[in-house]
Structures are given as C-alpha cells and as structure tokens.
Amino acid sequence: MIKMMTGLVNYSSEPGSVEIRELPVPTIGEEDVLVQVGAVGVCGSDLHQFHGTHSWNVNYPVVLGHEFGGTIVQTGARVAGFQDGDRVVSETAAVIDLNSPFARSGQYNLDPSRKGFGYGVDGAMTQFVRVPARLLHHIPNSLPFEEAALAEPCCVAYHAACINVRIRPGDSVAVIGPGPIGLLCALMAVLSGADPLVVIGTPADEKRLQQAREIGAMHTLGADGRSPAEVVRGIGDGYGVDVVIDAAGVSASLKLALELVRPKGQIAKVGWGPQPCDFSLDALVQKEIMLAGSFSHNYPMWEKVVWMLSSGQIDLGPVLGMISPLVDWKSAFDSMQSGDVVKAVLIP
Ligand SMILES: [Zn+2]
C-alpha cells in the first residue's frame, strides 16, 4: 500500500487558496472503507470555496470534492456488505450525530451537526478517501466512474423535483437557474412527465440553455429579451405553471418563482444564497402556494438515482461537458465558472 498521494487542497478562506499538495493516504477506522477515487465531479460549492465566496464554515486545510465514485481498497473490521474490490459511490454526510432524531429517522441530511466531504472533512479530489461504510452504495460494472460521480448532484435534483414537490405527467414546470443542479432538476422534471418545461437563465447562460433544450425544455429564456411572466402567460390557461423549481444561487429569485407559479401551485427552492430579500411574500399567501426547501439527500434517493444511472434513464450527455486529469483542475474550474461547461469531472 502506498503511503503518499496528491490532493487538491483548499487551505484558507482567501480567494484562490487552492493547490495540489502531497498528503498521507488516510488511515481508516473499523467502520470505514478506503476508496480509491475513480472520478470526482466539480461542484459549484468547490468553485465558491476556491473563490472565497462561500457562506459555510470550512475546516481548513481540506481536500475538496464530494461527488465521487471509486473502488474499495481497504475495508474496516466491522464493515458488513462491502469488501475490497467493490465499485461504489458515496453519499456526502461524512459526519453526523447518529443519535439525533434526524439520523434516527433517516433524515440525516437535516442533522445540524452534519459535516460533508470537501469542507468539513477531506474530500475526494485525490487518489484515496476515507469513507464511513454507512454512506456507500454499490454500482454495477457497466456504470463508468465519470457518470457515477454525478450521482450526488442527481440526488440533489431528485430530492428537489421528485420528493419535495410532486410533478405529475402533463404538469407545466419552470426551472429558474440553468446551472448543473437546475439542469438536473429539469431532467428529473422531464422524467416525471413535466410538459411543457420552461428553463430560465440570464444572457450569460446561452450555452447552458442549449443543454436545457437538449434535455427537453420547450422554452428557454435568457438572451432573447422575452420576460418569463409573458411566456408563462402563454402556457395552458395562462394562470401560471404548476411547479417552479428555483435552482438559482440567490434567495431573491423566489420573487420570480412566486410570480410564475399558479394559485395552489408548488415551489421547490434548492438554490440558495446568503443575501437577504426585499420583497413581499403576499403572493405566497394569496395564491396558497406550497413552498418547499430542499437540502442535500439521503438513502432512498441514492438508491433510485444509482438505478436510473445504471439503466440509462438518466442521460448525463447534456450535462457532463469535460473530463480532465486532476492536475488540470484549474481549467476545469474555470470552464465551469464561465459557463462553457455545465459539469466537469476530474480523474485523480
Ligand atoms: Zn455538489
């Protein structure tokens, strides 16, 4: 077993504080496995930590990366159901209080003491990562690691679009924010029978909106000057869409969501940002809107997503735009930041 590895480390809150470093291979506990990382996705949160624009506590120095799949190379003595050589993906709730009511009820994504890979504990932008076995899911040999690594954002989208709101076939759906999570929410909406689907971005999002059209969006709004409200008035009876999924990285987009949703409709808010809002929530009351926050994911959606990736129901073609070696992390980060690439995956 080799003793040293190279990892992409975020070492301070100063913008740009990310570099490749030599690190010891982690040692594991009795209930952990050591995963040799096959592929790791770049998340918007990795970009935020790189640019120092994040709004969560980071345990510096920390190896980035929480979207990954790989092969078990070492198995703790008390691990059952997994062994050396197994191909796996991992959930992200690396540290939780197993006795909290949320953990005990399977909603460990909501445990306030939860700490994830890539900010709370060392993540997967490296060759080896220590993973508590309770986070693992098997993947079949037919599923490449580059795709398996994106199970995590798919689970975020499944949670928002398929669990925290209910989409029925024929429901009109608007997605605000065509970033990776927004596009994966659009994909989950299509798989749930959403029709028509509207995806709303900004003039800078033209490439991402092209991917939205590939996923099945009937209308994409950003560069052409059409107002979302005007387009939504042209859909169905004109009173608004059944469901809005707000995946923009700001709080204030909720204003647009409230404008677009029809009375008695549903909004899932999965995108977030620390800036306060300055608008009235009267529409929420008057239209009797069901507004659902959606955070992270837990066991049931992982099982669904691993199956859907394996069976080909989830086609990552429109989303997975770049596969690079870990040493080329900077160009992968920059391509995602500029919107040229929706989602990049690194191979350590
Ligand atoms: Zn992520």
Side-chain angles (χ1 to χ4, degrees), residues 40-123:
V40 52
V42 180
C43 181
S45 64
D46 299 310
L47 301 181
H48 276 299
Q49 284 178 227
F50 172 48
H51 292 288
T53 54
H54 56 287
S55 54
W56 51 91
N57 288 329
V58 178
N59 185 18
Y60 301 109
V62 71
V63 178
L64 290 172
H66 59 268
E67 307 176 354
F68 63 102
T71 307
I72 297 177
V73 291
Q74 212 182 320
T75 307
R78 292 176 60 196
V79 172
F82 293 89
Q83 56 189 2
D84 292 9
D86 286 1
R87 301 172 85 251
V88 292
V89 286
S90 169
E91 300 186 25
T92 57
V95 176
I96 54 170
D97 173 5
L98 289 168
N99 292 314
S100 82
F102 308 102
R104 292 181 66 183
S105 59
Q107 296 168 314
Y108 43 85
N109 54 310
L110 303 180
D111 174 5
S113 68
R114 171 190 177 279
K115 289 192 182 73
F117 294 109
Y119 70 90
V121 303
D122 281 338

Side-chain angles (χ1 to χ4, degrees), residues 276-297:
C277 302
D278 65 345
F279 55 87
S280 164
L281 292 179
D282 283 358
L284 180 83
V285 176
Q286 194 174 26
K287 290 172 150 183
E288 294 195 359
I289 302 310
M290 194 192 83
L291 172 61
S294 192
F295 181 71
S296 191
H297 34 63

Side-chain angles (χ1 to χ4, degrees), residues 2 45 53 58 102 130 134 187 194-195 199 249 272 289 299 309:
I2 63 164
S45 64
T53 54
V58 178
F102 308 102
R130 180 178 71 184
R134 63 179 166 76
L187 179 64
D195 183 27
V199 177
W272 61 349
I289 302 310
Y299 184 89
L309 285 168

Side-chain angles (χ1 to χ4, degrees), residues 239-262:
Y239 286 100
V241 291
D242 295 297
V243 176
V244 178
I245 301 169
D246 180 355
V250 290
S251 294
S253 50
L254 182 60
K255 184 171 194 239
L256 177 61
L258 286 167
E259 202 181 321
L260 301 182
V261 72
R262 69 189 287 109

Side-chain angles (χ1 to χ4, degrees), residues 302-313:
W302 275 84
E303 287 292 296
K304 301 281 189 210
V305 161
V306 167
W307 165 246
M308 292 165 80
L309 285 168
S310 309
S311 70
Q313 284 180 79

